[in-house]
Amino acid sequence: MAKKFFDGFMSSLFEYDSYACNFEKDIENVAPGQPPRTTLKLIAQQNQPIHFSYAPQKGLNLSGSAGGALVENILGKLLAIPDGDIDAYIAFFTDYGFLYPVSQTDYEAVDANVLMELVNRIKATVMLMNSIAAKKNYTNILIGTTYLLYSEPIAIHLSTGEYSTCVHEFTSLVHRYSQFPNMSRNQEVFDTKKFSVADTLFPPFYQVDIEYFNQLRGSTEAGNMRLFKNLFAMYTGLTDAREELRTVIDFFFHYQKEVGVFSDIGYRKIRYLNGKQPDNFTDEMKAALLKIANIVLSEEINYNIAGVHPRYSTLDLKPAWELDNLIQALYFSIFYMKPGVEIYKRCKNPTCKRDVYFLVNATATNKEYCCPKCANAAAQRRSRERKLSQQ
């Protein structure tokens, strides 16, 4: 896998060299009544080198040897892949190479579900940025933030090394923390049947009913109710946590207590135990959620571009960036998106074959199509539908 330096004074902000891949798909029937397990076998094609460059307002591009863009908006094409369509993922990585360096001599094995979860984290990161930009969509901010914080880290083991997703401090705690404080000698509980917890959303203290505390502490339910129980243990026990972590804990405790406990968390949707109340974000919740979302975005992006580093070229004495893999290039292109200025928007033409997701100015609310061709196709379709309705 070649590493690439970019000329800091060129129109391209960074460049990266890789190889196309060859894929084979192994489907194993594990047990009766269980879904089959799909394993991807992939190998880098040394005779098919590919070159990427990133240009402002065009995104990450596949470039030719002369420097021109052969295929624009690679990140947008990845975002457009339908959820669960493993064949579409195979087609993408065949053309543009794998997320991480792979062997050029032997097949590497990657679980298909792990690959799709890796891409879902990229999708969630971009969607979260979109939700914060321009008119803030607090429901979507909640979904993206929750998915990235609650999803357990995943790892891929390859001959070139082990690669894993970002591990947030809250993530590790909410899946494992279970130590409740001892309230047996708390004088406040003895006097009032309640105790005070220092709270960043409702300072200085929030009153917790001891009966509610004992009921939840004694709960033996599994699944995501366990995660809420762990969260409650953190809320009542980690009173000396640093402020950023405490804000995350306080927000998720209050939101789930007031709205509903999470039962299933996807990057597009959250389901709740026993349904949920309509979203009613208080000003305190909005402020906390935005703060948490910004923290999560910075941690996700910084983690995935940590291996990117500047280097001064000894050949021409010019600044350069060095990238090691495609996932760095994808997150580095997210890094170069202007917060609150640029977003990825989905083309409103349902039969779009060009840029289903395209980069656009966040304030361009009237730009609904990726190109004039899609706008014309949509207009013609609406015209046909009107004529049919009049018959």
Side-chain angles (χ1 to χ4, degrees):
M1 180 68 63
K3 297 181 179 180
K4 184 67 181 181
F5 307 111
F6 92 96
D7 180 344
F9 301 101
M10 292 168 58
S11 59
S12 174
L13 294 176
F14 66 85
E15 300 181 11
Y16 166 66
D17 284 337
S18 185
Y19 301 98
C21 284
N22 181 48
F23 278 78
E24 299 293 340
K25 185 167 62 173
D26 288 350
I27 300 177
E28 178 186 5
N29 292 306
V30 181
Q34 296 295 318
R37 177 187 299 154
T38 301
T39 302
L40 305 179
K41 301 293 182 64
L42 61 153
I43 187 170
Q45 300 293 91
Q46 190 174 10
N47 62 340
Q48 296 182 43
I50 49 180
H51 179 71
F52 296 96
S53 62
Y54 180 90
Q57 300 179 337
K58 292 185 178 180
L60 187 65
N61 306 311
L62 187 65
S63 306
S65 56
L70 300 177
V71 181
E72 294 183 354
N73 190 21
I74 302 302
L75 176 58
K77 288 175 172 49
L78 181 63
L79 298 175
I81 295 177
D83 296 342
D85 190 343
I86 191 59
D87 290 329
Y89 282 107
I90 290 173
F92 177 90
F93 291 114
T94 296
D95 292 339
Y96 305 121
F98 195 56
L99 293 170
Y100 304 103
V102 295
S103 173
Q104 300 175 17
T105 57
D106 299 296
Y107 276 114
E108 308 265 23
V110 175
D111 184 280
N113 289 325
V114 170
L115 172 60
M116 290 188 286
E117 276 300 301
L118 275 171
V119 176
N120 284 348
R121 290 189 78 97
I122 300 173
K123 291 181 176 181
T125 300
V126 175
M127 290 173 65
L128 182 54
M129 290 188 73
N130 287 352
S131 301
I132 293 174
K135 186 177 180 180
K136 294 175 177 57
N137 185 322
Y138 286 95
T139 298
N140 288 342
I141 294 173
L142 172 72
I143 293 170
T145 302
T146 304
Y147 173 78
L148 291 171
L149 279 177
Y150 269 79
S151 298
E152 290 224 61
I154 51 176
I156 285 185
H157 304 274
L158 302 170
S159 63
T160 55
E162 180 178 322
Y163 307 93
S164 60
T165 55
C166 179
V167 181
H168 300 279
E169 183 180 8
F170 174 84
T171 308
S172 300
L173 288 169
V174 78
H175 283 277
R176 293 165 183 82
Y177 193 91
S178 58
Q179 184 177 351
F180 282 86
N182 185 351
M183 292 295 172
S184 61
R185 297 184 179 180
N186 188 299
Q187 186 63 40
E188 185 183 12
V189 171
F190 182 79
D191 293 337
T192 67
K193 305 301 182 185
K194 296 180 180 181
F195 62 94
S196 301
V197 177
D199 195 292
T200 59
L201 265 70
F202 303 101
F205 296 102
Y206 181 80
Q207 297 288 314
V208 177
D209 189 279
I210 191 62
E211 185 176 344
Y212 179 78
F213 174 84
N214 289 333
Q215 181 182 9
L216 193 52
R217 182 181 59 176
S219 170
T220 58
E221 292 187 54
N224 281 284
M225 191 62 196
R226 176 186 62 82
L227 296 184
F228 183 69
K229 180 179 177 179
N230 292 352
L231 175 68
F232 188 52
M234 294 158 61
Y235 178 76
T236 55
L238 286 178
T239 54
D240 59 348
R242 59 188 179 84
E243 184 179 356
E244 285 187 353
L245 175 60
R246 191 65 218 186
T247 300
V248 178
I249 295 169
D250 294 352
F251 171 80
F252 280 111
F253 166 70
H254 285 295
Y255 181 82
Q256 291 183 77
K257 185 174 184 294
E258 298 300 323
V259 178
V261 176
F262 305 141
S263 65
D264 182 58
I265 302 167
Y267 83 96
R268 292 187 185 275
K269 185 176 182 179
I270 295 176
R271 292 183 174 86
Y272 296 77
L273 294 174
N274 303 319
K276 67 183 282 278
Q277 300 299 315
D279 288 333
N280 184 18
F281 295 98
T282 64
D283 290 340
E284 293 85 359
M285 284 186 174
K286 287 179 179 179
L289 181 55
L290 281 177
K291 180 179 179 180
I292 296 165
N294 288 335
I295 293 169
V296 170
L297 276 176
S298 64
E299 289 180 352
E300 285 284 329
I301 294 173
N302 286 336
Y303 176 86
N304 285 287
I305 65 172
V308 177
H309 53 275
R311 182 170 176 178
Y312 209 68
S313 172
T314 58
L315 296 177
D316 49 17
L317 299 181
K318 291 181 179 179
W321 289 113
E322 184 176 344
L323 284 76
D324 297 323
N325 51 59
L326 178 58
I327 203 163
Q328 287 179 356
L330 290 167
Y331 275 96
F332 210 26
S333 64
I334 297 172
F335 168 86
Y336 271 113
M337 287 173 60
K338 298 176 182 177
V341 178
E342 291 179 322
I343 62 172
Y344 270 93
K345 184 177 285 189
R346 187 180 183 91
C347 181
K348 286 195 69 174
N349 178 12
T351 60
C352 175
K353 302 297 183 183
R354 185 176 180 269
D355 282 334
V356 178
Y357 281 90
F358 61 99
L359 199 60
V360 66
N361 192 297
T363 60
T365 56
N366 61 338
K367 187 170 176 57
E368 298 179 327
Y369 301 95
C370 66
C371 62
K373 185 176 180 180
C374 274
N376 291 335
Q380 291 173 12
R381 184 172 54 256
R382 289 193 299 270
S383 177
R384 289 195 298 269
E385 290 172 351
R386 282 195 300 268
K387 291 178 180 178
L388 288 173
S389 66
Q390 295 170 358
Q391 291 180 358

